[in-house]
């Protein structure tokens, strides 16, 4: 099976989204340019980095004396607070939830692995519910999760960690597809569908690199909507060299390109090029005057900016060469 290239219909405008999109038109002007990051990764002094960051959304989160080891948490908090604020003012929470729900599933992964530490910011699932799940009470598990946990065994907290990872990763991707399906937006659905496919390929590829068999993914990772048959065939093939023809379209082309890279760079390069592809797709939402696409596009850009900031600052503080950091920067929206 080869997935066909999608034709994304023209984006419409929806008056009830006018207020939030007006706010976003102001926020968009504050997003950072590629030149900002090119300069940031070349800096060597803490004071210079701190001063440079005063032009970012992080400005109010960085106070003199803040420990640099907390920078990742500060950047995540900055993104989270703004995304929650936009969700609160939007006619639908769905566009923001596409970004906020990831922390829920990372916490759920800890809960099902028997851990008691849930450090990720909650999106749709409260930490109280996460704690209850960690205690073996599964009544409040998301529907996309419950069946997979049932397949894993009656006591999910005792499931092997590798199986828990499969269960959580599959549930997270189904959740993304579910949220995207609730939004009347072909653009958002196309972006999320490619994001899900890219993540699915990355999960299977990393499993192969770790020497893990792929057959268990049929039970614990699937179904994945329209991609179930594609993933199923990838599992049968069991070799990334044969996956591009199965996947097809843009994602298949990206994978085919990455397979020409050195072996130890392929998986990380695929993830980066896949993210950049999704960022470029989402950027079409900037053309909308009022609608969910405008919110989704901005949050896509803000999320990429946040990841770039974490990469650049943490990389420089740990002595990583600027040239290497520049190669790993994501596309920018600003």
């Amino acid at each position: 099976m080869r997935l066909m290239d999608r034709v994304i219909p023209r984006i419409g405008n929806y008056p009830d989204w006018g207020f939030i999109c007006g706010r976003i038109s102001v926020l968009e002007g504050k997003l950072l340019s590629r030149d900002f990051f090119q300069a940031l990764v070349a800096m060597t002094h803490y004071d210079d980095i701190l001063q440079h960051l005063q032009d970012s959304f992080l400005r109010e989160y960085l106070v003199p004396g803040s420990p640099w080891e907390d920078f990742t948490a500060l950047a995540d908090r900055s993104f989270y607070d703004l995304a929650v604020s936009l969700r609160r003012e939007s006619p639908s929470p769905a566009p923001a939830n596409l970004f906020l729900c990831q922390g829920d599933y990372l916490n759920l992964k800890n809960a099902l692995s028997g851990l008691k530490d849930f450090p990720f910011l909650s999106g749709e699932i409260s930490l109280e519910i996460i704690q209850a799940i960690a205690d073996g009470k599964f009544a409040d598990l998301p529907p996309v999760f419950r069946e997979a946990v049932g397949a894993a065994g009656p006591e999910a907290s005792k499931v092997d960690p590798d199986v828990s990872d499969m269960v959580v990763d599959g549930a997270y991707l189904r959740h993304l597809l579910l949220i995207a399906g609730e939004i009347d937006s072909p653009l958002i659905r196309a972006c999320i569908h490619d994001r899900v496919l890219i993540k699915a390929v990355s999960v299977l590829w990393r499993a192969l690199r770790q020497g893990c068999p792929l057959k268990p993914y049929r039970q614990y990772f699937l179904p994945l909507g329209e991609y179930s048959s594609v993933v199923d065939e990838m599992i049968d093939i069991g070799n990334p060299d044969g996956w591009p023809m199965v996947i097809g379209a843009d994602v298949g082309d990206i994978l085919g390109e990455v397979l020409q890279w050195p072996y130890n760079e392929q998986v990380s390069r695929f993830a980066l090029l896949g993210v950049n592809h999704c960022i470029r797709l989402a950027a079409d939402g900037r053309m909308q005057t009022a609608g969910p696409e405008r919110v989704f596009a901005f949050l896509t850009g803000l999320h990429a900016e946040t990841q770039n900031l974490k990469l650049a600052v943490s990389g420089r503080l740990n002595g990583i060469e600027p040239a290497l950091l520049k190669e790993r920067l994501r596309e920018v929206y600003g």
Side-chain angles (χ1 to χ4, degrees):
M1 174 182 177
R2 180 179 171 91
L3 294 176
M4 302 299 292
D5 293 301
R6 296 186 183 86
V7 177
I8 301 175
R10 185 176 179 180
I11 299 172
N13 287 312
Y14 304 92
D16 55 336
W17 288 83
F19 175 80
I20 188 63
C21 290
R23 181 183 173 195
I24 284 175
S25 69
V26 176
L27 293 173
E28 284 173 335
K30 299 180 181 180
L31 288 170
L32 305 173
S33 67
R34 176 159 289 273
D35 287 344
F36 176 97
F37 290 105
Q38 296 287 332
L40 181 62
V41 299
M43 293 180 177
T44 56
H45 299 294
Y46 294 178
D47 290 344
D48 292 338
I49 292 174
L50 181 61
Q51 182 60 41
H52 199 58
L53 292 174
Q54 297 305 306
D55 292 330
S56 73
F57 283 109
L58 276 170
R59 178 176 182 174
E60 62 185 82
Y61 294 82
L62 295 170
V63 296
S66 296
W68 282 105
E69 58 266 26
D70 292 341
F71 180 80
T72 293
L74 290 174
D76 287 338
R77 169 59 71 175
S78 173
F79 174 84
Y80 177 85
D81 288 347
L82 185 48
V84 168
S85 175
L86 294 174
R87 179 175 66 179
R88 189 181 305 118
E89 296 179 357
S90 296
S92 166
N97 282 341
L98 288 167
F99 298 89
L100 293 170
C101 70
Q102 183 175 15
D104 296 332
Y105 284 87
L106 293 172
N107 284 329
L108 282 167
K109 186 173 291 189
N110 281 4
L112 292 178
S113 298
L115 302 177
K116 299 298 183 181
D117 182 29
F118 314 117
F120 302 98
L121 298 165
S122 59
E124 299 179 77
I125 306 174
S126 69
L127 291 180
E128 289 76 14
I129 291 176
I130 298 292
Q131 183 60 62
I133 292 168
D135 293 337
K137 302 172 184 177
F138 304 136
D140 291 321
L141 275 172
V144 294
F145 207 104
R146 198 173 297 122
E147 291 183 5
V149 171
E155 297 185 39
S157 61
K158 296 182 179 180
V159 173
D160 182 86
D162 290 336
V163 174
S164 292
D165 286 350
M166 296 180 208
V167 171
V168 177
D169 288 341
Y172 169 61
L173 297 183
R174 285 192 294 278
H175 194 105
L176 289 179
L177 293 172
L178 179 65
I179 298 174
E182 296 173 351
I183 306 172
D184 184 18
S185 170
L187 173 65
I188 293 177
R189 287 197 296 271
C191 291
I192 293 302
H193 283 205
D194 276 7
R195 188 201 296 184
V196 166
L197 179 56
I198 289 163
K199 176 65 174 178
V201 173
S202 296
V203 167
L204 295 181
W205 203 352
R206 293 183 191 280
L208 282 176
R209 289 291 179 91
Q210 294 167 4
C212 301
L214 295 187
K215 287 186 178 179
Y217 283 84
R218 283 198 174 97
Q219 179 178 1
Y220 301 114
F221 189 66
L222 295 175
L224 284 180
E226 68 178 278
Y227 295 128
S228 292
S229 59
V230 176
V231 173
D232 198 57
E233 192 169 348
M234 289 168 60
I235 292 171
D236 280 337
I237 293 171
N239 185 338
D241 290 340
W243 290 354
M245 286 301 297
V246 175
I247 297 167
D250 292 332
V251 178
D253 290 342
I254 292 170
L255 179 56
E257 175 189 339
V258 167
L259 287 169
Q260 307 307 311
W261 281 69
Y263 178 83
N264 63 347
E265 298 179 31
Q266 291 174 353
V267 179
S268 60
R269 179 60 53 173
F270 174 74
L272 176 61
L273 294 184
V275 166
N276 286 342
H277 162 71
C278 291
I279 292 171
R280 289 191 294 270
L281 276 181
D284 286 344
R286 291 181 294 183
M287 302 298 103
Q288 187 181 50
T289 302
E293 290 90 350
R294 189 74 177 272
V295 177
F296 177 79
F298 172 75
L299 286 172
T300 298
L302 180 65
H303 188 264
E305 176 176 299
T306 303
Q307 299 307 308
N308 280 345
L309 285 170
K310 292 192 293 186
L311 171 70
V313 174
S314 298
R316 291 308 292 141
L317 294 179
N318 286 287
I320 299 177
E321 289 299 317
L324 182 57
L325 293 175
K326 289 179 181 179
E327 289 180 1
R328 296 178 179 178
L329 289 172
R330 299 183 178 190
E331 295 272 352
V332 297
Y333 184 99

